[in-house]
Amino acid sequence: MNEFYEKFRNRTYFDNHGEAIANHLDKFYKSDEITVFHEMVSPDFHLDVYLINSAKHSFNILLTSGMSLLEMTVPDGVENPETYTFAELMILLPKAIEFGKIFPGENENDWIIGMLKETARFPHHYDTWLAIGHTLQATTEMEPYSGDTDYVGLIILPSVTFDEEFTEIKTTEETINIYSVFPLYKDELEYKIANGYNALLDKLIEKNGKEVFDNKRGNLLA
């Protein structure tokens, strides 16, 4: 067994978190509103993605389930580190965006699920953490996630659509945060890196940026 698999075999897994997420969603949605893209082969830890299509929303939701199986490595010096240890990621999507019955497949929108899963795996692969204001890029060369998009990275944001009743999942001893993912163009990502989270947030507010994903949205720096 190579070093990569050995690393994940010896980690502490919080297997109760998967059930906690499922129970949490059951409080808000009916079973026929929820589809699960089950991960058939997991190279490290098991990571599924929920698709929630509910008539109560004008959008659908993609939500990871598996990122919180493992603790993130929160740096020393962060106040109340236990509040940042566990997280899952979501993205709100227009109803018109559809997926095939399985992932991965040949659907042009599969890159969105792939983006979520790659981001969810990142902190565990690199012994780091993700929280509000953090950014990631798709590749070291800032290439797009797919030929079907111009987005090259993303920023982690608090949801402005849902309150803490939905975005905080309480277990007996832990809290699982649900963060919103907002994809970025190359110059937007570079702007955030150079100027910081608050500067990009000001651009979002100025341009009235929407939490619901838009693959053709206007550039925040235009």
Side-chain angles (χ1 to χ4, degrees):
M1 183 175 291
N2 63 36
E3 182 179 351
F4 177 78
Y5 288 99
E6 193 72 22
K7 171 182 178 179
F8 284 97
R9 188 183 72 165
N10 293 328
R11 296 287 293 273
T12 299
Y13 286 82
F14 293 77
D15 294 317
N16 62 307
H17 287 183
E19 182 178 0
I21 295 167
N23 291 339
H24 181 71
L25 293 179
D26 285 342
K27 297 176 184 176
F28 297 90
Y29 304 105
K30 297 177 292 187
S31 59
D32 61 358
E33 295 177 316
I34 301 173
T35 301
V36 185
F37 292 103
H38 291 285
E39 188 166 73
M40 305 309 294
V41 178
S42 301
D44 36 37
F45 56 92
H46 192 78
L47 181 62
D48 295 329
V49 176
Y50 285 99
L51 171 64
I52 302 164
N53 184 346
S54 172
K56 69 173 71 174
H57 302 312
S58 61
F59 53 82
N60 292 340
I61 305 168
L62 283 180
L63 173 67
T64 63
S65 177
M67 181 178 176
S68 63
L69 284 174
L70 296 164
E71 293 180 305
M72 291 189 288
T73 307
V74 182
D76 294 337
V78 173
E79 189 175 353
N80 300 320
E82 69 280 357
T83 63
Y84 302 100
T85 304
F86 300 102
E88 298 290 348
L89 305 174
M90 75 173 176
I91 188 168
L92 310 185
L93 301 173
K95 294 283 190 182
I97 290 184
E98 297 179 342
F99 300 93
K101 294 184 178 180
I102 60 170
F103 172 87
E106 298 181 355
N107 186 283
E108 64 181 359
N109 299 314
D110 275 359
W111 71 269
I112 303 173
I113 298 177
M115 173 184 66
L116 278 183
K117 296 184 76 165
E118 290 167 14
T119 305
R121 284 193 152 97
F122 177 85
H124 303 310
H125 281 212
Y126 295 95
D127 298 322
T128 186
W129 66 314
L130 285 178
I132 292 168
H134 290 180
T135 49
L136 283 181
Q137 55 200 60
T139 69
T140 55
E141 295 80 18
M142 287 198 185
E143 298 167 325
Y145 286 102
S146 161
D148 295 304
T149 187
D150 292 324
Y151 291 124
V152 305
L154 56 83
I155 185 167
I156 305 297
L157 295 176
S159 177
V160 296
T161 304
F162 295 97
D163 60 20
E164 290 181 357
E165 183 182 9
F166 183 77
T167 61
E168 289 188 359
I169 302 173
K170 302 290 187 179
T171 71
T172 305
E173 297 180 354
E174 300 94 24
T175 296
I176 303 169
N177 299 297
I178 298 178
Y179 297 132
S180 188
V181 166
F182 188 82
L184 296 173
Y185 298 121
K186 185 173 185 290
D187 58 344
E188 295 172 340
L189 181 56
E190 291 172 336
Y191 179 85
K192 189 274 178 181
I193 293 171
N195 298 281
Y197 169 59
N198 288 332
L200 183 66
L201 191 60
D202 287 342
K203 293 294 183 182
L204 264 169
I205 295 170
E206 176 187 331
K207 296 292 185 178
N208 193 27
K210 305 299 183 183
E211 185 173 2
V212 177
F213 172 79
D214 179 356
N215 202 25
K216 301 296 182 183
R217 70 166 171 81
N219 193 301
L220 299 176
L221 305 180

